[in-house]
Amino acid sequence: MAINGINPSIPASAGAPPNIGGSGKNPQLAALEQKLQRLNNEKEKAIRNKDKEKERKLEQEIQAVKQKIAQLKQKEKKEQEKDNPESSALPNEPFPVSGLGDTVNQYA
């Protein structure tokens, strides 16, 4: 019986279905978040190199990407509420329990 090894030239995600291990994120949102990370890294490099002009331009791009991310998240939230109106009507806080103080203290 032969056991084949793992081929390091094949990426780990090669045979995997899309969004496996992810939270089912919108691919556009994931791409914007990657772009934001790349821009932040470039900005840090510009800061280290004391390139104020590049730092300023990157900061403007970062703010634009953050705004797009926020808009996309808000759009997704509205779509979720539209698709599932019951979940948006439920309270975020647990239901208050009152009137059990004496009973609980007797048995505690």
Side-chain angles (χ1 to χ4, degrees):
M1 177 163 124
I3 299 175
N4 294 330
I6 298 172
N7 187 345
S9 65
I10 300 173
S13 63
N19 288 329
I20 197 131
S23 60
K25 272 189 174 179
N26 178 335
Q28 187 179 7
L29 183 60
L32 284 171
E33 288 175 343
Q34 282 183 332
K35 182 176 182 177
L36 180 62
Q37 183 64 41
R38 182 183 54 80
L39 289 171
N40 277 319
N41 290 340
E42 287 183 33
K43 181 183 168 190
E44 290 300 318
K45 186 177 177 183
I47 290 170
R48 285 192 302 270
N49 293 334
K50 298 180 180 166
D51 187 344
K52 296 288 185 186
E53 183 63 24
K54 188 171 184 177
E55 179 186 347
R56 186 184 61 77
K57 287 180 182 180
L58 287 167
E59 181 59 33
Q60 289 175 344
E61 282 187 66
I62 288 169
Q63 293 306 317
V65 170
K66 283 182 178 181
Q67 187 176 16
K68 286 180 187 177
I69 289 172
Q71 288 172 348
L72 195 55
K73 284 183 178 181
Q74 186 158 7
K75 181 181 175 185
E76 282 185 351
K77 184 179 177 183
K78 284 182 181 180
E79 286 176 3
Q80 281 180 343
E81 288 174 357
K82 185 177 120 184
D83 292 343
N84 195 1
E86 298 87 35
S87 66
S88 63
L90 294 176
N92 291 331
E93 298 294 322
F95 293 106
V97 178
S98 60
L100 298 178
D102 293 336
T103 307
V104 172
N105 288 336
Q106 287 177 354
Y107 299 105

